Amino acid sequence: MSKALITDEEYRRFEDIIFKVWRVYEFGENEFTQAEKEHIKKVFEQLNAEHPRECKIIVRHHLKRVYYTTMALEQGVSEGYIRKLAKNGAYYFLQFYDKQ
């Protein structure tokens, strides 16, 4: 299996962003300006349009707290493959996020 496209430092930055998004989603805590919220919404729309499988895995795992194991069983693939798709999704997310 090939390696994920993202480095550990980039993945940590992704996790920091998605944690803030999760806090808005879960608790309604808002650390974003209106412009930042619109930008993140557009990033998710673009990610879903171009990489729908990765987007769904990111949303289910990071926002809805579904384990990779559960998704792997549902899809009939290995957990490692789901993790790789999630990391590649994080890579694509950051690409779109940085394109302001």
Side-chain angles (χ1 to χ4, degrees):
M1 186 180 327
S2 61
K3 291 185 74 169
L5 301 171
I6 196 167
T7 65
D8 289 339
E9 295 82 24
E10 289 173 319
Y11 192 72
R12 180 66 189 154
R13 186 167 70 95
F14 164 77
E15 285 182 325
D16 290 343
I17 295 167
I18 208 74
F19 178 72
K20 289 179 185 178
V21 172
W22 173 75
R23 286 179 52 178
V24 171
Y25 173 79
E26 189 70 23
F27 302 112
E29 295 178 16
N30 195 352
E31 299 179 12
F32 297 111
T33 65
Q34 187 62 31
E36 288 173 323
K37 285 194 286 188
E38 289 297 319
H39 178 63
I40 289 173
K41 181 180 175 185
K42 288 180 184 176
V43 168
F44 273 111
E45 287 172 356
Q46 187 175 3
L47 182 63
N48 191 36
E50 295 185 25
H51 305 282
R53 192 169 187 191
E54 289 89 344
C55 182
K56 288 176 184 157
I57 290 170
I58 286 172
V59 168
R60 286 189 72 199
H61 179 70
H62 290 284
L63 300 181
K64 297 182 179 180
R65 301 296 189 200
V66 176
Y67 292 110
Y68 291 133
T69 307
T70 303
M71 287 185 263
L73 289 173
E74 289 172 356
Q75 297 180 24
V77 296
S78 71
E79 183 179 341
Y81 181 68
I82 295 294
R83 287 180 184 275
K84 180 184 163 196
L85 286 176
K87 283 196 167 193
N88 287 346
Y91 174 80
Y92 300 133
F93 177 92
L94 288 179
Q95 278 187 328
F96 301 143
Y97 185 81
D98 292 340
K99 273 187 184 177
Q100 298 191 24

